[in-house]
Amino acid sequence: MDISDMRREFESAGLNREDLDNDPIQQFERWFQDARDAGILEPNAMSLATVDATGQPTVRTVLLKYFDEQGFVFFTNYESRKAHNIEHTPKAAALFPWLGLNRQVSIQGSVRRISKAESFKYFSSRPRESQIGAWVSDQSKAISSRGLLEQKLAEMKRKFGEGHIPLPTFWGGYQIVPQRVEFWQGRPHRLHDRFEYLRDGEQWGIQRLQP
């Protein structure tokens, strides 16, 4: 299948240095709100790339659940493929493809587990069905049929009944601590606007990149 002729022009306003906040987290918050206001489907969906023990990168989509000056937090099973990768190589890259706005934000940095208390706080806010679901799946492990998952779901529903559902010991949050953040704005003729924030200690440097 030859799809080399698939293309479109990116007709959008430019991005200038004076438009940017000096703090990439504040700039991300601005663009995130723009994506929400524009009705972008799941604007908190991010492509998360990790590297395994052999150096093989893998990527999947996860949901950002909160962010602050410390970093960007997502949740997962600590026995999943992504978690094993992170435990071996505690670095990751994330991409927010807000293509409806001709925008992308990419983030690279180190990764660390958040506290059990923080994980419990978020876990307790999830719908009950999602809490039970965390107990059901041995994430990333092979399984012979969906029927076995549904059987285990029924077992967990019986086990917990209407009572409290505890935080699984194998489930919780990770925080990407950004070292580099790039804001990409699509422009006509592939002459896109790109600005890169690089952390230098407690400060951030900003520079324009060629497209």
Side-chain angles (χ1 to χ4, degrees), residues 7 32 40 73 100 106 136 140 159 188 197 201:
R7 62 177 57 86
F32 187 84
I40 298 295
V73 175
S106 59
V136 170
S140 302
K159 176 180 178 179
Y197 291 74

Side-chain angles (χ1 to χ4, degrees), residues 6-183:
M6 290 183 64
R7 62 177 57 86
R8 69 181 177 88
E9 283 288 3
F10 294 99
E11 299 291 345
S12 53
L15 183 62
N16 299 306
R17 172 62 184 88
E18 55 267 26
D19 299 327
L20 296 172
D21 195 287
N22 290 328
D23 184 330
I25 307 301
Q26 295 299 318
Q27 182 63 36
F28 179 85
E29 184 172 359
R30 288 183 190 176
W31 272 25
F32 187 84
Q33 189 60 52
D34 287 346
R36 294 185 70 179
D37 293 344
I40 298 295
L41 181 64
E42 294 199 280
N44 61 326
M46 63 182 187
S47 300
L48 176 72
T50 57
V51 179
D52 70 15
T54 70
Q56 174 63 52
T58 57
V59 64
R60 76 290 288 161
T61 300
V62 300
L63 296 178
L64 175 70
K65 286 302 177 181
Y66 62 87
F67 62 92
D68 55 26
E69 293 299 325
Q70 301 304 311
F72 302 82
V73 175
F74 65 94
F75 292 84
T76 189
N77 186 308
Y78 286 143
E79 295 300 321
S80 66
R81 181 178 291 118
K82 71 177 82 64
H84 282 297
N85 289 358
I86 289 169
E87 296 300 328
H88 182 272
T89 305
K91 297 182 179 181
L95 175 71
F96 293 85
W98 297 322
L99 302 184
L101 293 175
N102 298 331
R103 288 176 174 178
Q104 298 181 76
V105 180
S106 59
I107 299 164
Q108 290 100 50
S110 59
V111 186
R112 61 191 180 194
R113 288 194 189 192
I114 64 173
S115 70
K116 184 175 180 180
E118 290 176 284
S119 291
F120 177 74
K121 180 179 179 180
Y122 171 69
F123 183 79
S124 299
S125 74
R126 301 178 88 198
R128 186 175 182 83
E129 293 78 6
S130 296
Q131 292 181 20
I132 294 174
W135 282 94
V136 170
S137 175
D138 292 328
Q139 197 174 91
S140 302
K141 305 298 189 300
I143 193 169
S144 60
S145 71
R146 182 174 179 83
L148 292 177
L149 275 178
E150 294 173 345
Q151 179 181 334
K152 190 171 180 181
L153 175 62
E155 291 173 358
M156 288 296 169
K157 285 183 175 180
R158 287 194 296 271
K159 176 180 178 179
F160 294 120
E162 298 300 319
H164 169 71
I165 301 173
L167 173 70
T169 58
F170 52 81
W171 191 96
Y174 283 109
Q175 181 183 67
I176 303 174
V177 181
Q179 300 298 319
R180 176 184 181 275
V181 184
E182 180 183 325
F183 294 85

